[in-house]
Amino acid sequence: MTYLETASNPETLNRVVIEPITRVEGHGKVTLLTDAENIVQQARLHIVEFRGFERFIQGRPYWDAPVVVQRLCGICPVSHHLAAGKAIDHIVGGSELTPAARKLRELAHYGQLLQSHALHFFMLCSPDLLFGFESDVAQRNFFAVVDKYPDIAIKGIRLRKYGQEVIAAVLGKRVHGTGAIPGGMNKALEAAERDTLITDFEHILEWSKDAVDLARDSFMANMPHNDRFGSMRSNYVSLVREDGALELYDGVFRAKDPDGNIIFDGVSDQEYHQHIREEVRNWSYMKFPYLSALGSEAGWYRVGPLARMNNCDFIDTPLAEAERRQYAEYGKDAPVEASLAYHWARMIELLHCAEKIQQLLDDPDILSSDLLVKGNRTSEGIGVIEATRGTLIHHYEVDDNDLIRKANLIVATTHNNQAMNEAIRQVAQEKLDGEEINEPLLNNIEVAVRAYDPCLSCATHAVGKMPLKVELVNHKGELVHSLRRDSDGTVS
Amino acid sequence: MARSADPSLVVFAWGNLSRADDGAGPELAERLRTLRLDELLIIEDMQLQIEHTADIVPDVPILFIDASVAITEGFALQRLKPRPDASVTTHALCPTALLQLYETTARRPSPPAYQLHIAGQSFELGEEPGEVNASATEAAWAYLEDLLARPPGSWGRVLECDSVERLEQARAVSATAV
């Protein structure tokens, strides 16, 4: 248990609830317990949905998994589709894909990362970065960005749209398409589709580079505040390529400690369960993973763009590598700890994905119809990819009737559970202690959560106009103070 | 992903085929695709979202197609004007908000736009479309077939004329039903 996770005397404290957290994927809330002097004694991030996918996928045929699991999420269905596809590849003995199948999956994956990173940075977070964390709530939404910074907004919209075009070309639809089947892909890319993507690629690199500039400049603009905001020492986990390069589709596990020392490296993704355990706590539906070698107290870690940038030795595309070097210089070649640096790392990845898409569209393999391999059937499959928000693990066991007997899914937001809780505790102490609570102050808490781009489930993401009610209730259950923000932005 | 280079009409159809009457939009989009008309640009999705503004083609009329509880049977055709959105999620942008977003980002007037409302009553997951919706979808399809059988250059004018008449008819139907 960590500092501020559980107060010793909760019944005597005032309770503040932020519900829902806006501009994140899905539904969550933050609860704060404060004492009579408004000093925060407890802060928790709660995920209020229960999805149960691991349970109800049991009993379904294994070839259904890549299709069914997409319904986990309307934002990152491609990530779940591909992770499940990789797992099922192992079950049919087809994990060594043909070059065309592998490259088509990578193309869809880069399209997914491009569109989702653009969505998060421009539509969900740019209002905080452009207007200020405590700016007028009425303008803290994407439509205000469109009004005041239309050029930035248009780039965000077009980057997201292009990523979705790539997905649609490979998987048939922007959302919930299909493509990955056991041992390969079910559809070749047609030359006309490839040519359309090449035509539409114009400006994508330029806009991606602009996005990195915006993310870096907004991070550096307010120092040392942004470096301290939600900052923490943590371990880092990600896949890397065997030579240490940033790798998003397939690779080996690397873990670093807060000083950048290797905890383990070169670990096969098929052995994840030997290194990662999950702990259940009675106040959250979301589990708390940790590195088994370090135990639950010291073994929690961060995943996602920040971890990937801290863990890799280099990026194999030139523009993104140049940006990574600046990032590494900022961190003095040690892991960058600031939560807000997630945005910077995320946009470097967006640039990398754009470069990779360009490379793949020029690759003649991408049009090949040699898309399937077969092998020996096994009863267990593990698929791991670096999804938008971090490491995504799908693990299935299948019975002799081809039905899924057991499923274990560890998603990026779960890996980052402890880190997000640490971030809100740090920000709550820094910003709220001793202050009369108001909406702008509370947005700091939401900014800390948003930095991790959590996908709290899948269904809804607000744009900043969601009605928000904050109530301060004393230990007798009496309402002491309340604030309400209506859908039109009015605070009363 | 074959795409019309010079469309005469942009169609946005949205909904969820797994949710009973909500699938009317995608159902009609699928039928439109079978016509293989180069002058038709068809955009199908689960919901209207911000990035759909980038699918709008300057000066090319737009037809939005969606299931609707605003009418009790049949279909209605409504002329739309850009309007700021007061809804709460990006997943559920309404057509008028999309047009407003287009005007802001493109810095030009949005094209003439119309919405084809298909009567819907049930939107439960896993259910089949109801009789009212199925009938409405067929009626709307007959209308679309008639529209698209005309020269592409006339589609916009026909929609403009029909939008007043069809909406009034639908209002009369609703009033009768009540």
Side-chain angles (χ1 to χ4, degrees):
Chain A
M1 189 182 303
T2 60
Y3 184 58
L4 291 187
E5 179 176 330
T6 301
S8 58
N9 52 343
E11 67 281 359
T12 65
L13 300 172
N14 299 318
R15 184 167 183 263
V16 179
V17 181
I18 305 173
E19 183 181 19
I21 305 169
T22 59
R23 287 184 276 133
V24 296
E25 314 298 348
H27 300 275
K29 69 176 180 180
V30 171
T31 58
L32 307 169
L33 298 186
T34 61
D35 64 17
E37 283 72 47
N38 285 341
I39 305 300
V40 177
Q41 300 292 335
Q42 177 179 300
R44 291 174 172 176
L45 168 67
H46 305 260
I47 310 306
V48 296
E49 295 170 295
F50 180 71
R51 304 285 292 165
F53 255 77
E54 291 167 335
R55 178 65 183 167
F56 73 68
I57 202 171
Q58 291 176 18
R60 300 186 73 97
Y62 67 76
W63 52 82
D64 263 7
V67 177
V68 173
V69 294
Q70 291 191 86
R71 266 61 187 179
L72 270 161
C73 185
I75 303 301
C76 47
V78 177
S79 305
H80 288 290
H81 180 60
L82 295 178
K86 286 184 69 179
I88 302 304
D89 290 342
H90 285 280
I91 288 173
V92 300
S95 57
E96 290 297 321
L97 300 179
T98 67
R102 159 102 184 205
K103 288 172 184 176
L104 281 173
R105 285 193 188 180
E106 288 177 337
L107 184 59
H109 191 40
Y110 294 130
Q112 161 65 25
L113 283 149
L114 187 81
Q115 68 90 7
S116 186
H117 277 356
L119 165 70
H120 178 260
F121 181 71
F122 287 97
M123 300 181 192
L124 304 185
C125 292
S126 70
D128 297 321
L129 303 176
L130 293 170
F131 298 126
F133 302 173
E134 298 177 23
S135 60
D136 178 8
V137 66
Q139 69 172 5
R140 249 188 279 128
N141 60 73
F142 183 66
F143 293 111
V145 175
V146 170
D147 282 337
K148 189 150 187 185
Y149 301 98
D151 292 341
I152 290 174
I154 290 167
K155 289 173 187 172
I157 290 170
R158 294 202 172 274
L159 283 167
R160 173 158 156 81
K161 180 173 182 290
Y162 186 76
Q164 290 182 315
E165 275 183 46
V166 172
I167 293 167
V170 179
L171 303 180
K173 291 167 68 177
R174 293 175 180 178
V175 179
H176 297 161
T178 60
I181 57 176
M185 294 288 285
N186 65 4
K187 169 186 167 298
L189 187 69
E190 295 176 11
E193 294 172 321
R194 189 268 317 266
D195 294 345
T196 299
L197 291 177
I198 289 174
T199 301
D200 291 352
F201 191 79
E202 185 186 12
H203 303 306
I204 294 297
L205 271 185
E206 171 197 336
W207 293 338
S208 300
K209 178 72 171 58
D210 291 345
V212 182
D213 291 344
L214 178 61
R216 182 191 56 245
D217 292 349
S218 61
F219 177 70
M220 302 295 276
N222 190 9
M223 289 295 172
H225 173 273
N226 286 356
D227 195 51
R228 284 207 317 264
F229 186 92
S231 183
M232 69 195 76
R233 286 173 61 78
S234 73
N235 304 300
Y236 302 93
V237 169
S238 71
L239 296 179
V240 293
R241 208 165 67 187
E242 289 193 358
D243 62 0
L246 177 72
E247 173 58 52
L248 300 171
Y249 177 75
D250 195 28
V252 292
F253 271 111
R254 173 179 284 180
K256 284 185 177 178
D257 72 12
D259 296 315
N261 301 310
I262 295 288
I263 301 171
F264 56 74
D265 195 10
V267 170
S268 166
D269 60 354
Q270 302 302 297
E271 298 170 3
Y272 83 91
H273 45 302
Q274 295 177 24
H275 298 273
I276 293 173
R277 300 259 169 82
E278 295 176 280
E279 183 181 50
V280 176
R281 296 183 193 171
N282 61 7
W283 54 269
S284 177
Y285 280 131
M286 203 156 60
K287 294 175 182 174
F288 289 81
Y290 61 93
L291 300 175
S292 52
L294 301 180
S296 61
E297 288 286 322
W300 62 271
Y301 53 87
R302 286 191 275 185
V303 300
L306 187 85
R308 293 192 286 246
M309 216 50 61
N310 284 341
N311 272 3
C312 75
D313 300 325
F314 67 99
I315 298 177
D316 67 356
T317 54
L319 297 177
E321 170 60 8
E323 298 296 338
R324 188 202 65 82
R325 286 176 184 272
Q326 283 192 52
Y327 171 95
E329 282 173 20
Y330 174 78
K332 299 182 173 60
D333 289 323
V336 175
E337 297 178 347
S339 290
L340 290 175
Y342 262 96
H343 298 303
W344 184 5
R346 191 172 285 120
M347 290 303 98
I348 295 173
E349 288 190 345
L350 179 137
L351 177 59
H352 170 65
C353 290
E355 291 180 281
K356 282 291 195 183
I357 288 170
Q358 188 180 39
Q359 286 178 6
L360 286 166
L361 292 176
D362 285 338
D363 188 330
D365 280 349
I366 209 77
L367 297 181
S368 168
S369 57
D370 180 17
L371 297 174
L372 269 182
V373 294
K374 290 182 179 176
N376 295 322
R377 166 82 152 72
T378 64
S379 60
E380 186 173 13
I382 295 170
V384 184
I385 64 169
E386 282 299 330
T388 311
R389 297 164 177 83
T391 311
L392 174 62
I393 299 171
H394 279 228
H395 184 175
Y396 304 100
E397 290 179 16
V398 178
D399 67 18
D400 293 338
N401 296 316
D402 293 340
L403 302 179
I404 293 172
R405 183 172 55 210
K406 183 180 175 185
N408 186 33
L409 314 180
I410 308 180
V411 305
T413 300
T414 306
H415 293 293
N416 278 335
N417 193 0
Q418 185 68 40
M420 289 188 290
N421 274 282
E422 294 290 335
I424 64 169
R425 283 163 199 153
Q426 196 260 25
V427 172
Q429 274 194 309
E430 176 91 12
K431 297 284 185 180
L432 304 185
D433 269 1
E435 300 286 340
E436 183 176 349
I437 291 172
N438 56 40
E439 193 282 334
L441 279 179
L442 289 177
N443 188 51
N444 285 284
I445 301 282
E446 297 189 66
V447 168
V449 175
R450 279 183 209 120
Y452 291 82
D453 188 13
C455 190
L456 302 180
S457 71
C458 59
T460 306
H461 54 278
V463 293
K465 289 186 171 183
M466 182 174 281
L468 176 67
K469 190 176 182 184
V470 178
E471 291 185 344
L472 179 59
V473 180
N474 67 18
H475 65 279
K476 296 176 184 172
E478 298 163 338
L479 182 65
V480 176
H481 189 59
S482 74
L483 278 173
R484 178 180 173 83
R485 183 177 72 199
D486 291 324
S487 58
D488 63 358
T490 306
V491 178
S492 56
Chain B
M1 203 186 61
R3 192 172 58 195
S4 171
D6 188 19
S8 298
L9 182 66
V10 178
V11 173
F12 288 95
W14 69 100
N16 188 336
L17 284 164
S18 300
R19 286 189 174 274
D21 299 352
D22 196 36
E27 167 65 22
L28 288 171
E30 183 58 33
R31 295 190 192 187
L32 290 171
R33 274 193 289 271
T34 65
L35 299 178
R36 297 186 172 277
L37 294 173
D38 288 341
E39 298 84 359
L40 209 53
L41 175 59
I42 303 163
I43 311 294
E44 181 196 336
D45 217 323
M46 297 287 189
Q47 287 117 342
L48 283 183
Q49 298 188 18
I50 286 171
E51 61 271 16
H52 285 126
T53 187
D55 291 314
I56 294 174
V57 181
D59 302 322
V60 175
I62 302 169
L63 180 62
F64 295 98
I65 304 178
D66 188 23
S68 172
V69 294
I71 55 174
T72 55
E73 62 180 74
F75 68 92
L77 186 67
Q78 179 186 18
R79 180 74 149 90
L80 300 179
K81 297 286 186 189
R83 196 176 61 194
D85 191 10
S87 64
V88 296
T89 76
T90 54
H91 277 313
L93 266 191
C94 59
T96 52
L98 189 71
L99 298 174
Q100 179 73 43
L101 192 61
Y102 175 81
E103 293 204 341
T104 307
T105 54
R107 294 171 183 150
R108 60 185 301 154
S110 72
Y114 312 88
Q115 183 163 0
L116 193 59
H117 301 265
I118 317 294
Q121 297 173 325
S122 172
F123 298 84
E124 290 303 311
L125 187 63
E127 287 189 1
E128 294 293 318
E131 285 184 18
V132 169
N133 176 257
S135 172
T137 302
E138 292 305 325
W141 174 239
Y143 172 74
L144 289 171
E145 281 188 308
D146 180 56
L147 169 72
L148 299 173
R150 301 169 192 236
S154 70
W155 293 346
R157 290 196 301 275
V158 174
L159 286 168
E160 181 66 32
C161 293
D162 285 353
S163 60
V164 177
E165 182 185 346
R166 293 281 177 178
L167 185 61
E168 291 307 319
Q169 283 179 2
R171 282 178 180 151
V173 168
S174 296
T176 304
V178 170

